[in-house]
Amino acid sequence: MQVYLLKDVEKVGIQGSVVKVSDGFADNFLIPRKLAVKITDGNKSFYLEKKQKEQVHAEVLNSKAAMFAERIKTLHLTIKERAHDDGKLYGSVGADEVVELLKEKDIQINRKQVEFDKAVRKIGEHKITIKISSKLKPQLTLKVVALD
């Protein structure tokens, strides 16, 4: 039996896909839990058309995310922090400071999206990763300078 998945189902498929499953699995598990809808001859074209629209929408979102990632890759941020004479900072630069610097550049991200390779505790240039999605992880350059 062919069904249109309304939600992601582990080991079956993702939301919006048309998959073939056994009749019993569809009738006893997927349809009663509102995880899928049975595809008949009457509604087949409707769900296939819906699937195409969702694919186009997903492609648009992916292209916007890719453009956002390219914009982040080109950024070079500078932050002034208090430092010792040997170049070590009194504290460390955290995700909140990076989010604020990006907000000044009209880029809105969550602090959980900021990933450090290692803690930023010295003056100099550091690479910081911004996690947009599981596949898109652009890096930007953060330059830490001593506060006069």
Side-chain angles (χ1 to χ4, degrees):
M1 171 187 304
Q2 280 193 324
V3 294
Y4 177 82
L5 294 176
L6 300 172
K7 296 183 180 176
D8 293 348
V9 181
E10 193 173 331
K11 297 182 183 177
V12 177
I14 59 172
Q15 178 182 351
S17 62
V18 176
V19 293
K20 187 172 184 171
V21 295
S22 68
D23 294 349
F25 184 60
D27 290 335
N28 296 323
F29 183 79
L30 295 175
I31 295 171
R33 290 191 167 102
K34 296 185 177 25
L35 298 173
V37 177
K38 182 178 179 179
I39 293 187
T40 61
D41 292 334
N43 66 6
K44 187 173 190 170
S45 63
F46 171 76
Y47 285 113
L48 292 176
E49 192 175 299
K50 190 173 179 178
K51 180 181 176 184
Q52 278 184 325
K53 286 180 183 176
E54 288 178 357
Q55 285 176 339
V56 169
H57 183 68
E59 288 174 12
V60 169
L61 286 177
N62 286 340
S63 67
K64 285 183 180 180
M67 289 171 31
F68 185 62
E70 286 300 319
R71 185 173 169 205
I72 289 175
K73 277 184 189 177
T74 60
L75 286 179
H76 295 282
L77 302 176
T78 304
I79 188 168
K80 292 183 178 182
E81 292 286 332
R82 291 180 43 206
H84 294 283
D85 292 335
D86 61 352
K88 291 183 182 176
L89 300 178
Y90 280 104
S92 64
V93 177
D96 291 329
E97 287 94 345
V98 175
V99 169
E100 287 300 318
L101 288 171
L102 289 171
K103 197 178 283 185
E104 292 172 8
K105 304 273 186 182
D106 293 328
I107 296 176
Q108 300 289 329
I109 63 164
N110 188 333
R111 67 183 301 274
K112 293 179 182 176
Q113 292 176 283
V114 179
E115 297 178 349
F116 296 97
D117 293 336
K118 57 183 178 178
V120 179
R121 294 189 176 138
K122 290 185 179 183
I123 292 175
E125 289 191 356
H126 304 276
K127 291 286 187 185
I128 296 175
T129 305
I130 306 296
K131 184 177 179 182
I132 297 172
S133 68
S134 60
K135 294 178 183 174
L136 281 176
K137 296 181 181 181
Q139 285 192 332
L140 60 89
T141 304
L142 176 69
K143 184 176 182 181
V144 182
V145 294
L147 190 65
D148 294 332

Coordinates of all heavy atoms in Angstrom, one line a residue, residues 6-58:
L6 N 2.7 12.1 6.9 CA 2.4 13.4 7.5 C 3.4 13.8 8.5 O 3.6 15.0 8.8 CB 1.0 13.3 8.2 CG -0.2 13.0 7.3 CD1 -1.4 12.8 8.1 CD2 -0.4 14.1 6.2
K7 N 4.2 12.8 9.0 CA 5.3 13.1 10.0 C 6.4 12.2 9.7 O 6.3 11.2 9.0 CB 4.8 12.9 11.4 CG 3.7 13.8 11.9 CD 3.4 13.6 13.3 CE 2.3 14.6 13.7 NZ 1.8 14.4 15.1
D8 N 7.6 12.5 10.2 CA 8.8 11.6 10.0 C 8.5 10.3 10.8 O 8.1 10.4 12.0 CB 10.0 12.3 10.6 CG 10.5 13.5 9.7 OD1 9.9 13.7 8.6 OD2 11.4 14.2 10.2
V9 N 8.8 9.2 10.2 CA 8.7 7.9 10.8 C 10.0 7.2 10.7 O 10.5 7.0 9.5 CB 7.5 7.0 10.2 CG1 7.4 5.7 10.9 CG2 6.2 7.8 10.2
E10 N 10.6 6.8 11.8 CA 11.9 6.2 11.8 C 11.9 4.9 11.0 O 11.0 4.1 11.1 CB 12.4 5.9 13.2 CG 13.8 5.6 13.3 CD 14.3 5.5 14.8 OE1 13.7 6.2 15.6 OE2 15.2 4.7 15.0
K11 N 12.9 4.7 10.1 CA 13.1 3.5 9.3 C 12.0 3.4 8.2 O 11.9 2.3 7.6 CB 13.2 2.3 10.1 CG 14.4 2.3 11.0 CD 14.5 1.0 11.8 CE 15.7 1.0 12.8 NZ 15.7 -0.2 13.6
V12 N 11.2 4.4 8.0 CA 10.1 4.4 7.0 C 10.4 5.5 6.0 O 10.5 5.3 4.8 CB 8.7 4.4 7.6 CG1 7.7 4.5 6.5 CG2 8.4 3.3 8.5
G13 N 10.4 6.7 6.5 CA 10.6 7.9 5.6 C 10.4 9.2 6.3 O 10.1 9.2 7.5
I14 N 10.6 10.2 5.6 CA 10.4 11.6 6.2 C 9.1 12.2 5.7 O 8.5 11.8 4.8 CB 11.6 12.5 5.7 CG1 11.7 12.6 4.2 CG2 12.9 12.0 6.3 CD1 12.7 13.7 3.8
Q15 N 8.7 13.2 6.5 CA 7.5 13.9 6.2 C 7.4 14.4 4.8 O 8.3 14.9 4.2 CB 7.3 15.1 7.2 CG 6.1 15.9 7.0 CD 6.0 17.1 7.9 OE1 6.8 17.2 8.8 NE2 5.1 18.0 7.7
G16 N 6.2 14.2 4.2 CA 6.0 14.6 2.8 C 6.4 13.7 1.7 O 6.3 14.0 0.6
S17 N 6.9 12.5 2.1 CA 7.3 11.5 1.1 C 6.2 10.5 0.9 O 5.4 10.2 1.8 CB 8.6 10.8 1.5 OG 8.5 10.1 2.7
V18 N 6.1 9.9 -0.3 CA 5.2 8.8 -0.6 C 6.0 7.5 -0.6 O 7.0 7.4 -1.3 CB 4.6 9.0 -2.0 CG1 3.7 7.9 -2.4 CG2 3.8 10.4 -2.1
V19 N 5.6 6.6 0.3 CA 6.3 5.4 0.5 C 5.4 4.2 0.4 O 4.2 4.3 0.6 CB 7.1 5.3 1.9 CG1 8.2 6.3 1.9 CG2 6.1 5.5 3.0
K20 N 5.9 3.1 0.1 CA 5.1 1.8 0.0 C 5.4 1.0 1.3 O 6.6 0.7 1.6 CB 5.5 1.0 -1.2 CG 4.7 -0.2 -1.5 CD 5.0 -0.8 -2.8 CE 4.0 -1.9 -3.1 NZ 4.1 -2.4 -4.4
V21 N 4.4 0.7 2.0 CA 4.5 -0.1 3.2 C 3.5 -1.3 3.2 O 2.6 -1.3 2.3 CB 4.2 0.7 4.5 CG1 5.3 1.8 4.6 CG2 2.9 1.4 4.4
S22 N 3.6 -2.2 4.1 CA 2.6 -3.3 4.1 C 1.3 -2.8 4.5 O 1.2 -1.8 5.3 CB 3.1 -4.4 5.0 OG 3.1 -4.0 6.4
D23 N 0.2 -3.5 4.1 CA -1.1 -3.1 4.4 C -1.4 -3.1 5.9 O -2.0 -2.1 6.4 CB -2.1 -4.0 3.7 CG -2.1 -3.9 2.2 OD1 -1.5 -3.0 1.7 OD2 -2.7 -4.8 1.6
G24 N -0.9 -4.1 6.6 CA -1.2 -4.1 8.1 C -0.5 -3.0 8.8 O -1.0 -2.5 9.7
F25 N 0.8 -2.7 8.4 CA 1.5 -1.6 9.1 C 0.8 -0.3 8.9 O 0.7 0.5 9.8 CB 2.9 -1.6 8.5 CG 3.8 -0.6 9.2 CD1 4.1 -0.6 10.5 CD2 4.4 0.5 8.4 CE1 4.9 0.3 11.1 CE2 5.2 1.4 9.0 CZ 5.5 1.3 10.4
A26 N 0.3 -0.1 7.7 CA -0.4 1.2 7.4 C -1.7 1.2 8.2 O -2.0 2.2 8.8 CB -0.7 1.3 5.9
D27 N -2.5 0.2 8.1 CA -3.9 0.2 8.7 C -3.8 0.1 10.2 O -4.7 0.7 10.9 CB -4.7 -1.0 8.2 CG -5.1 -0.9 6.7 OD1 -5.2 0.3 6.3 OD2 -5.3 -1.9 6.1
N28 N -2.8 -0.5 10.8 CA -2.8 -0.7 12.3 C -1.9 0.3 13.0 O -2.0 0.5 14.2 CB -2.4 -2.1 12.6 CG -3.3 -3.2 12.1 OD1 -4.5 -3.0 12.1 ND2 -2.8 -4.3 11.6
F29 N -0.9 0.9 12.3 CA 0.0 1.7 13.0 C 0.0 3.2 12.4 O -0.3 4.1 13.2 CB 1.4 1.1 12.9 CG 2.4 1.9 13.7 CD1 2.6 1.8 15.0 CD2 3.3 2.8 13.0 CE1 3.5 2.6 15.8 CE2 4.3 3.5 13.7 CZ 4.3 3.4 15.1
L30 N 0.3 3.3 11.2 CA 0.5 4.7 10.6 C -0.8 5.5 10.6 O -0.8 6.6 11.0 CB 1.1 4.6 9.2 CG 2.5 4.0 9.1 CD1 2.9 3.8 7.7 CD2 3.5 4.8 9.9
I31 N -1.8 4.9 10.0 CA -3.1 5.7 9.8 C -3.8 6.0 11.1 O -4.2 7.2 11.4 CB -4.0 5.0 8.8 CG1 -3.3 5.0 7.4 CG2 -5.3 5.7 8.7 CD1 -4.0 4.2 6.4
P32 N -3.9 5.1 12.1 CA -4.6 5.4 13.4 C -3.8 6.5 14.2 O -4.4 7.3 14.9 CB -4.6 4.1 14.1 CG -4.5 3.0 13.1 CD -3.7 3.6 12.0
R33 N -2.5 6.5 14.0 CA -1.7 7.5 14.8 C -1.5 8.8 14.0 O -0.8 9.6 14.4 CB -0.4 6.9 15.1 CG -0.5 5.8 16.1 CD 0.9 5.4 16.6 NE 0.8 4.5 17.8 CZ 0.9 3.2 17.8 NH1 1.2 2.6 16.7 NH2 0.7 2.5 19.0
K34 N -2.2 8.9 12.9 CA -2.2 10.1 12.0 C -0.7 10.4 11.6 O -0.3 11.6 11.5 CB -2.8 11.3 12.7 CG -4.3 11.1 13.0 CD -5.0 12.3 13.5 CE -6.4 12.2 13.7 NZ -7.2 11.1 13.9
L35 N 0.0 9.4 11.3 CA 1.4 9.5 10.8 C 1.4 9.5 9.3 O 2.3 10.0 8.6 CB 2.3 8.4 11.3 CG 2.5 8.4 12.8 CD1 3.3 7.1 13.2 CD2 3.2 9.6 13.3
A36 N 0.3 9.0 8.7 CA 0.2 8.8 7.2 C -1.2 8.8 6.8 O -2.1 8.6 7.6 CB 0.9 7.5 6.8
V37 N -1.4 9.1 5.5 CA -2.7 9.0 4.8 C -2.6 8.0 3.6 O -1.6 8.1 2.9 CB -3.1 10.4 4.3 CG1 -4.4 10.3 3.5 CG2 -3.1 11.4 5.4
K38 N -3.6 7.2 3.5 CA -3.6 6.2 2.4 C -3.8 6.9 1.1 O -4.6 7.8 1.0 CB -4.7 5.2 2.7 CG -4.8 4.1 1.6 CD -5.9 3.2 2.0 CE -6.0 2.1 0.9 NZ -7.1 1.1 1.2
I39 N -3.0 6.5 0.1 CA -3.1 7.1 -1.2 C -4.0 6.2 -2.1 O -3.7 5.0 -2.2 CB -1.7 7.2 -1.9 CG1 -0.9 8.3 -1.1 CG2 -1.8 7.6 -3.3 CD1 0.4 8.7 -1.7
T40 N -5.0 6.8 -2.6 CA -6.0 6.1 -3.5 C -5.8 6.7 -4.9 O -5.1 7.7 -5.1 CB -7.4 6.2 -3.0 OG1 -7.8 7.6 -3.0 CG2 -7.6 5.6 -1.6
D41 N -6.6 6.1 -5.8 CA -6.5 6.6 -7.2 C -7.1 8.1 -7.2 O -6.6 8.9 -8.0 CB -7.3 5.7 -8.1 CG -6.7 4.4 -8.3 OD1 -5.4 4.3 -8.2 OD2 -7.4 3.4 -8.6
G42 N -8.1 8.3 -6.4 CA -8.7 9.7 -6.4 C -7.8 10.8 -5.8 O -7.8 11.9 -6.3
N43 N -7.0 10.5 -4.8 CA -6.2 11.5 -4.1 C -4.7 11.4 -4.5 O -3.9 12.2 -4.0 CB -6.4 11.5 -2.6 CG -5.8 10.3 -1.9 OD1 -5.2 9.4 -2.6 ND2 -6.1 10.2 -0.7
K44 N -4.3 10.5 -5.3 CA -2.9 10.3 -5.7 C -2.3 11.5 -6.3 O -1.2 12.0 -5.9 CB -2.8 9.1 -6.6 CG -1.3 8.7 -6.9 CD -1.2 7.5 -7.7 CE 0.2 7.0 -7.8 NZ 0.3 5.6 -8.4
S45 N -3.0 12.2 -7.2 CA -2.4 13.3 -7.9 C -2.3 14.5 -6.9 O -1.3 15.3 -7.0 CB -3.3 13.8 -9.1 OG -4.6 14.1 -8.6
F46 N -3.2 14.6 -6.0 CA -3.2 15.7 -5.0 C -1.9 15.5 -4.1 O -1.2 16.5 -3.9 CB -4.4 15.6 -4.1 CG -4.3 16.5 -2.9 CD1 -4.5 17.9 -3.0 CD2 -4.1 16.0 -1.6 CE1 -4.4 18.8 -1.9 CE2 -4.0 16.9 -0.5 CZ -4.2 18.2 -0.7
Y47 N -1.6 14.3 -3.6 CA -0.5 14.2 -2.7 C 0.8 14.2 -3.5 O 1.9 14.7 -3.0 CB -0.6 12.9 -1.9 CG -1.6 13.0 -0.8 CD1 -2.8 12.3 -0.8 CD2 -1.4 13.9 0.2 CE1 -3.7 12.4 0.2 CE2 -2.3 14.0 1.2 CZ -3.5 13.3 1.2 OH -4.4 13.4 2.2
L48 N 0.9 13.8 -4.8 CA 2.1 13.9 -5.5 C 2.4 15.3 -5.9 O 3.5 15.8 -5.8 CB 2.0 13.1 -6.8 CG 2.0 11.5 -6.6 CD1 1.8 10.8 -7.9 CD2 3.2 11.0 -5.9
E49 N 1.3 16.1 -6.1 CA 1.5 17.6 -6.4 C 2.0 18.3 -5.1 O 2.8 19.1 -5.1 CB 0.2 18.1 -6.8 CG 0.2 19.5 -7.4 CD -1.1 20.0 -7.9 OE1 -1.6 19.3 -8.9 OE2 -1.6 21.0 -7.4
K50 N 1.4 17.9 -4.0 CA 1.8 18.4 -2.7 C 3.3 18.1 -2.4 O 4.0 19.0 -1.9 CB 0.9 17.9 -1.6 CG 1.1 18.5 -0.2 CD 0.0 18.0 0.7 CE 0.2 18.7 2.1 NZ -0.8 18.3 3.0
K51 N 3.7 16.9 -2.7 CA 5.1 16.5 -2.5 C 6.0 17.4 -3.4 O 7.1 17.8 -2.9 CB 5.3 15.0 -2.9 CG 6.7 14.5 -2.7 CD 6.8 13.1 -3.1 CE 8.2 12.6 -3.1 NZ 8.4 11.3 -3.5
Q52 N 5.6 17.7 -4.6 CA 6.5 18.5 -5.5 C 6.6 19.9 -4.9 O 7.6 20.5 -4.9 CB 5.9 18.6 -6.9 CG 6.2 17.4 -7.7 CD 5.7 17.6 -9.2 OE1 4.6 18.1 -9.4 NE2 6.5 17.1 -10.1
K53 N 5.5 20.5 -4.4 CA 5.5 21.8 -3.9 C 6.4 21.9 -2.6 O 7.1 22.9 -2.4 CB 4.1 22.2 -3.5 CG 3.2 22.6 -4.6 CD 1.8 23.0 -4.2 CE 0.9 23.3 -5.3 NZ -0.5 23.7 -4.9
E54 N 6.4 20.8 -1.8 CA 7.2 20.8 -0.6 C 8.7 20.7 -1.0 O 9.6 21.3 -0.4 CB 6.8 19.7 0.3 CG 5.5 19.9 1.0 CD 5.1 18.8 1.9 OE1 5.8 17.7 1.9 OE2 4.1 18.9 2.6
Q55 N 9.0 20.0 -2.1 CA 10.4 19.9 -2.6 C 10.9 21.2 -3.1 O 12.0 21.6 -2.8 CB 10.5 18.8 -3.7 CG 10.4 17.4 -3.2 CD 10.5 16.4 -4.3 OE1 10.2 16.7 -5.5 NE2 10.8 15.2 -4.0
V56 N 10.0 22.0 -3.8 CA 10.4 23.3 -4.3 C 10.6 24.2 -3.1 O 11.6 25.0 -3.1 CB 9.3 23.9 -5.2 CG1 9.5 25.3 -5.5 CG2 9.3 23.1 -6.5
H57 N 9.7 24.1 -2.1 CA 9.9 25.0 -0.9 C 11.2 24.6 -0.2 O 11.9 25.5 0.3 CB 8.7 24.8 0.0 CG 8.7 25.6 1.2 ND1 8.5 27.0 1.2 CD2 8.9 25.3 2.5 CE1 8.6 27.4 2.4 NE2 8.8 26.4 3.3
A58 N 11.5 23.4 -0.1 CA 12.7 23.0 0.6 C 14.0 23.5 -0.2 O 15.0 23.9 0.5 CB 12.8 21.4 0.7

